[in-house]
Amino acid sequence: MKVAVWTTERIVVCKRVMLAGLLCLLSGLVFAQVQTPPGMADQRAQAVTQVVLGILSYARWPVEPAQLRLCIVGPTEYTDDLVKGTTQATGRPVTVRRLLADNPSIVGECDAVYIGKLTSEERSRLFASLAERPVLSISESDDQCTVGSLFCLRVGDEQVSFEVNLDSVARSGVRIHPSVLQLSRRKPAAP
């Protein structure tokens, strides 16, 4: 009788251990699927940095800055690589700093603005302060590129593309090389 009870208890314990192990394995798989692979986030940040630096290198300001000042405004997803600071292909250094959307120094201390997630009111105030100023603006968010940004990024798994708001470009005082404007019209290749 003691042997039968001991065997039954052993089977119950084994089943519980196997069930716990299975649950741990399944929860690990679910957790792994929810997270973006660490390499993918880095690749996107690097691709965004390349596109932003490319746009900046084909822009001309009324008075060319010796050192380009790029300001990041608002929470962003893809600026980890950009924040480190860099040098354009032309050799011109780019200094990067983060500012709040309502910071009055944006107007005088930024040649370009990379805009993250802002409320409608913050965006409106920012673009009102930049009106009639030679500041190139690049928007990371999913707006329709009609709000005031010169460039609007489209970040996908395979590539980073952008749209151009020609009206904003015309009013900004920053000249953009026609090749960049043509690139924005190209549609990404179908997968």
Side-chain angles (χ1 to χ4, degrees):
M1 185 85 123
K2 287 184 180 181
V3 172
V5 171
W6 183 75
T7 305
T8 305
E9 286 177 5
R10 190 172 179 181
I11 290 173
V12 170
V13 168
C14 285
K15 284 183 179 180
R16 285 184 183 164
V17 168
M18 289 178 62
L19 182 60
L22 182 62
L23 287 174
C24 286
L25 179 65
L26 289 177
S27 66
L29 288 174
V30 169
F31 183 70
Q33 289 177 352
V34 171
Q35 288 185 336
T36 305
M40 183 65 79
D42 291 339
Q43 288 175 357
R44 286 181 182 161
Q46 290 171 359
V48 165
T49 296
Q50 289 176 349
V51 169
V52 169
L53 290 176
I55 290 170
L56 295 175
S57 67
Y58 285 98
R60 298 293 173 257
W61 284 261
V63 176
E64 280 296 318
Q67 184 170 10
L68 192 63
R69 302 167 298 173
L70 174 63
C71 298
I72 299 174
V73 179
T76 59
E77 261 186 275
Y78 307 110
T79 56
D80 291 346
D81 201 44
L82 197 57
V83 169
K84 297 172 188 170
T86 188
T87 303
Q88 291 181 293
T90 59
R92 177 168 55 180
V94 178
T95 59
V96 181
R97 66 183 199 165
R98 287 191 177 274
L99 295 174
L100 296 174
D102 294 331
N103 191 323
S105 65
I106 290 175
V107 175
E109 298 178 14
C110 302
D111 303 306
V113 179
Y114 185 101
I115 304 164
K117 291 179 177 49
L118 298 177
T119 65
S120 298
E121 295 80 29
E122 289 172 324
R123 287 180 83 78
S124 295
R125 285 192 304 268
L126 175 64
F127 288 125
S129 72
L130 296 177
E132 309 293 323
R133 307 247 188 226
V135 177
L136 186 147
S137 56
I138 301 171
S139 179
E140 179 182 87
S141 64
D142 293 331
D143 60 14
Q144 296 298 311
C145 211
T146 57
V147 184
S149 290
L150 277 65
F151 293 89
C152 300
L153 298 180
R154 301 288 174 242
V155 182
D157 288 339
E158 300 297 319
Q159 70 179 20
V160 176
S161 60
F162 59 89
E163 293 180 38
V164 177
N165 182 328
L166 295 175
D167 186 45
S168 294
V169 170
R171 285 186 276 131
S172 73
V174 178
R175 294 179 313 179
I176 307 298
H177 194 279
S179 298
V180 175
L181 302 178
Q182 289 295 328
L183 280 175
S184 72
R185 293 184 183 174
R186 291 187 188 166
K187 297 294 179 198

